[in-house]
Amino acid sequence: NGSFTFFFTNSAWNVGSAIASVDWITPTSWSLSISWPPTLSLGATSVNSSVNLLEKTFTGASEYFQVEDTIWADAGYYTTLEMTNLQYNTQTIANTNMYVKTVGGITLLSGTANANVITSIGTTYTNISSPLTFIMRSAWSNGGKTGTYWAQLAIKVDIPAFQKAGNYTWTIIYTIY
């Protein structure tokens, strides 16, 4: 919080000042940032005449998605997570075959725990063919707490029958608003 004096006039002969408390102006040393794993590997599976399931739970700190919230203001934020199609040369596995869930909710990495930092991706698989709201904190719910919070994901891909074998790649898009 910072106090600022605003000068105002309400007519040609009445002047005055008001003091306002502003909680959305923050010093430059405070920040809100996100980070994510540089690479994620789903592993390998064989392909055949039926749909195959490829599932991976990412473990370890280097595979978590995180938000570093050192603003302590009440503006709120949310992140989204989306994935592109899996691609190998001209072969595609559509992202409509991809699902994501969280494992264990939000974990505090450092700072002060804040029960208002939540994940809206549940613990059951949800299709990720369009952006999903991921880690978030509603406006006016911070209480002056700062911290680094992370979430663990599991990803599932349904590999279509007769899909051509190959080294498929995809892009995960993690955005903060």
Side-chain angles (χ1 to χ4, degrees), residues 12-91:
W13 57 88
N14 292 325
V15 296
S17 64
I19 297 178
S21 178
V22 182
D23 70 354
W24 47 266
I25 298 176
T26 57
T28 57
S29 62
W30 297 338
S31 67
L32 182 62
S33 62
I34 58 175
S35 60
W36 54 91
T39 60
L40 291 174
S41 174
L42 293 175
T45 189
S46 59
V47 292
N48 55 40
S49 60
S50 60
V51 174
N52 285 351
L53 173 69
L54 180 59
E55 186 173 10
K56 172 80 183 261
T57 299
F58 297 99
T59 59
S62 65
E63 295 182 326
Y64 287 12
F65 290 76
Q66 69 181 39
V67 172
E68 183 178 14
D69 178 2
T70 62
I71 289 180
W72 72 267
D74 281 333
Y77 59 83
Y78 67 97
T79 65
T80 59
L81 190 68
E82 61 183 303
M83 296 182 188
T84 63
N85 296 331
L86 288 161
Q87 196 72 40
Y88 169 66
N89 293 332
T90 61
Q91 300 295 309

